[in-house]
Amino acid sequence: MKKIEAIIKPFKLEAVKEALTEISITGMTVSEVKGYGRQKGHKEMYRGAEYNVDFNPKIKIELVVTADMAPTAVDAIRSAASSDTIGDGKIFVFDVEDVIRVRTGEHGSDAI
């Protein structure tokens, strides 16, 4: 099994959700996060004063899929989240040793 974490632009969340639903992935966790990469923040104006915003708002999506489904899920996220501009985000893929469903005690891919 693989855990996929994707950091994307907030306005791309719905497109990513739809892309994952199309490939039969129905469960994910979504968090609002802040961060920066190469874009290194930006400047904003507030009441006539300019100030630096070091951390940009992002969305973090987490999901666990079977190992054979991971490349398909990564491709779906990448294509849906891409706007071909700096700051589109990153996708991380981790190995998952086990998954346990709390309610039933199911293990492995049955718990996904």
Side-chain angles (χ1 to χ4, degrees):
M1 290 174 291
K2 302 288 185 180
K3 178 178 182 183
I4 300 170
E5 289 185 8
I7 310 295
I8 62 170
K9 291 181 175 181
F11 67 90
K12 289 292 193 171
L13 176 59
E14 195 59 35
V16 170
K17 180 183 162 206
E18 289 173 9
L20 291 172
T21 301
E22 286 178 14
I23 60 169
S24 301
I25 295 176
T26 56
M28 70 173 112
T29 300
V30 177
S31 306
E32 293 181 8
V33 296
K34 293 183 179 184
Y36 69 91
R38 289 185 182 157
Q39 65 195 114
K40 297 186 174 80
H42 62 279
K43 295 181 192 276
E44 287 189 5
M45 294 287 287
Y46 180 71
R47 294 188 176 179
E50 187 176 276
Y51 65 99
N52 288 328
V53 177
D54 293 331
F55 296 99
N56 295 310
K58 299 288 184 177
I59 295 292
K60 180 178 176 181
I61 299 170
E62 300 172 85
L63 55 140
V64 176
V65 297
T66 59
D68 60 322
M69 190 64 172
T72 306
V74 168
D75 287 343
I77 294 168
R78 195 203 57 74
S79 62
S82 178
S83 65
D84 292 326
T85 60
I86 193 165
D88 274 349
K90 298 266 192 308
I91 301 171
F92 305 95
V93 181
F94 306 93
D95 287 325
V96 173
E97 187 174 322
D98 199 6
V99 176
I100 299 101
R101 185 182 309 270
V102 173
R103 180 177 52 87
T104 62
E106 293 170 297
H107 282 262
S109 60
D110 292 337
I112 298 177

